[in-house]
Amino acid sequence: MHQNRRSFLRNLGLLAATSVPAADLLAGAVAKKPAFEISLAEWSLHRALFAKKITNLDFPVIAKKDFGISTVEYVNQFFKDKANDTAYLKDLLQRCNDNGVKNHLIMCDGEGELGDKDEAKRTKAVENHYKWVEAAKFLGCKTIRVNAAGQGTADEVKKQAVDGLSRLSEFAGKVGINVIVENHGGYSSNAQWLTSVMKEVNRKNCGTLPDFGNFCIKRKPGDWKVCEEEYDRYKGTQELLPFAKGVSAKTYDFDASGNCVETDYSRIFEIVKKSGFKGYIGIEYEGDKLSEEEGIRKTKQLLERVAFA
């Protein structure tokens, strides 16, 4: 009996000794769970898409099989006439399901200006986006990305954009879809202006998509590659993050060490992390020195090294 008791205590000690490290390991695993997930923006492959080398239907499979990315962000112009095509959307969704790909958002362009000074045109722009809200819902997306463009002074366009975004967000909110605005040129690339728009819209499903490389407010006439007026990207990112429902990791070029030339990713991700943002970081390679495939891979490697450090 005495021996059995000693054996029991010895075994209990061994159990305790092994269970504590296991608990520590479990706690460590939970603590190290990343705040971010990588997604792939379809614009990263825009040259191949425009050249008809690939199609929008190919995109989710390419994201998963070629780059190991399981979440995608579509660009509406690559399936412009398919928003109401149920058979097409079913085919696209089936390809995603077959390959374990999640649909995150649809970037919407060319549907009119949500800040148009003409009320009838602004209403038409709002209504033009309805089909993309519905397509996003069908595909299992959470979000559509729109633009806050218009004509007039900063205050005039702000008032107009607040109206357009409020109405579109009200419609989208009924089916659980977010409406987010990217800093995408003009007034929207002024982060103070865009945050003031968000504050006035004041809807939970309306937010921002900070794009690290899109803070050019004014481009040189005749040469869009030259920026004449630019908002500070680090300040702008910090200001937009409280409203963010996604982040666009824009890259153009890389140095010999694999760092982004135009944006200090270590610095900008310190800002992202301090903001408490959790969600998708979308790869959007837009350079022309590397192939699209190599640019995507280098951006992914950079994110894995910096964002998850």
Side-chain angles (χ1 to χ4, degrees):
M1 187 73 178
H2 181 65
Q3 182 65 36
N4 288 343
R5 183 172 180 273
R6 288 201 319 190
S7 298
F8 171 76
L9 291 173
R10 184 170 63 250
N11 291 336
L12 185 64
L14 286 171
L15 179 61
T18 56
S19 63
V20 171
D24 287 346
L25 286 172
L26 181 61
V30 171
K32 291 181 180 179
K33 184 179 179 180
F36 315 124
E37 291 184 59
I38 294 175
S39 53
L40 180 61
E42 191 171 19
W43 190 254
S44 299
L45 294 163
H46 70 276
R47 294 201 297 269
L49 284 153
F50 282 130
K52 309 294 184 184
K53 292 179 181 178
I54 61 173
T55 70
N56 183 68
L57 288 172
D58 299 322
F59 170 55
V61 182
I62 290 171
K64 184 63 176 285
K65 292 190 173 180
D66 291 2
F67 306 108
I69 298 173
S70 300
T71 304
V72 294
E73 304 177 7
Y74 297 100
V75 175
N76 73 335
Q77 61 185 292
F78 297 122
F79 58 125
K80 190 76 172 180
D81 58 342
K82 304 297 185 182
N84 296 318
D85 188 334
T86 303
Y88 179 91
L89 296 178
K90 280 184 177 178
D91 186 5
L92 180 57
L93 184 58
Q94 189 64 54
R95 294 181 189 218
C96 293
N97 292 338
D98 289 346
N99 290 275
V101 175
K102 180 179 180 180
N103 295 319
H104 172 42
L105 68 82
I106 302 175
M107 297 186 178
C108 302
D109 302 297
E111 295 292 359
E113 296 183 336
L114 293 171
D116 200 298
K117 66 180 179 181
D118 184 296
E119 187 173 354
K121 289 182 179 178
R122 187 163 70 249
T123 296
K124 179 63 174 172
V126 170
E127 293 173 350
N128 284 347
H129 284 83
Y130 288 176
K131 60 183 178 290
W132 293 111
V133 170
E134 291 164 348
K137 182 67 175 180
F138 186 95
L139 292 171
C141 297
K142 296 292 186 184
T143 304
I144 64 168
R145 188 277 282 145
V146 302
N147 299 297
Q151 314 82 36
T153 66
D155 286 341
E156 288 169 343
V157 178
K158 174 184 173 181
K159 181 180 179 180
Q160 293 151 196
V162 167
D163 174 61
L165 286 167
S166 295
R167 287 193 277 160
L168 179 56
S169 298
E170 181 180 5
F171 176 86
K174 293 175 183 177
V175 291
I177 297 295
N178 297 316
V179 174
I180 62 176
V181 182
E182 180 182 349
N183 45 307
H184 212 193
Y187 296 128
S188 73
S189 286
N190 181 319
Q192 288 186 358
W193 181 88
L194 186 52
T195 56
S196 71
V197 170
M198 290 297 111
K199 288 174 183 177
E200 288 208 20
V201 173
N202 193 28
R203 286 184 173 270
K204 289 183 178 180
N205 71 317
C206 188
T208 61
L209 178 68
D211 183 313
F212 298 158
N214 254 4
F215 283 101
C216 183
I217 297 171
K218 182 182 178 183
R219 296 191 178 276
K220 183 178 179 180
D223 189 354
W224 68 272
K225 290 186 177 181
V226 178
C227 183
E228 292 186 333
E229 182 183 354
E230 187 168 16
Y231 199 87
D232 183 273
R233 69 189 61 202
Y234 306 101
K235 180 175 183 286
T237 298
Q238 184 174 27
E239 290 169 338
L240 294 176
L241 278 166
F243 307 93
K245 297 183 183 295
V247 168
S248 186
K250 179 70 63 63
T251 54
Y252 290 92
D253 199 9
F254 300 86
D255 63 20
S257 299
N259 293 310
C260 180
V261 171
E262 63 278 354
T263 303
D264 183 338
Y265 263 63
S266 294
R267 179 181 174 187
I268 211 157
F269 266 97
E270 281 301 309
I271 294 170
V272 174
K273 291 172 184 177
K274 285 180 181 178
S275 76
F277 171 81
K278 294 181 180 179
Y280 288 103
I281 306 292
I283 291 173
E284 192 171 47
Y285 172 69
E286 204 171 333
D288 52 18
K289 293 183 180 179
L290 302 175
S291 69
E292 291 181 319
E293 293 76 15
E294 189 176 359
I296 291 168
R297 290 192 177 95
K298 280 191 173 291
T299 307
K300 185 184 179 190
Q301 290 166 3
L302 177 59
L303 288 176
E304 289 172 340
R305 176 162 51 86
V306 175
F308 299 96

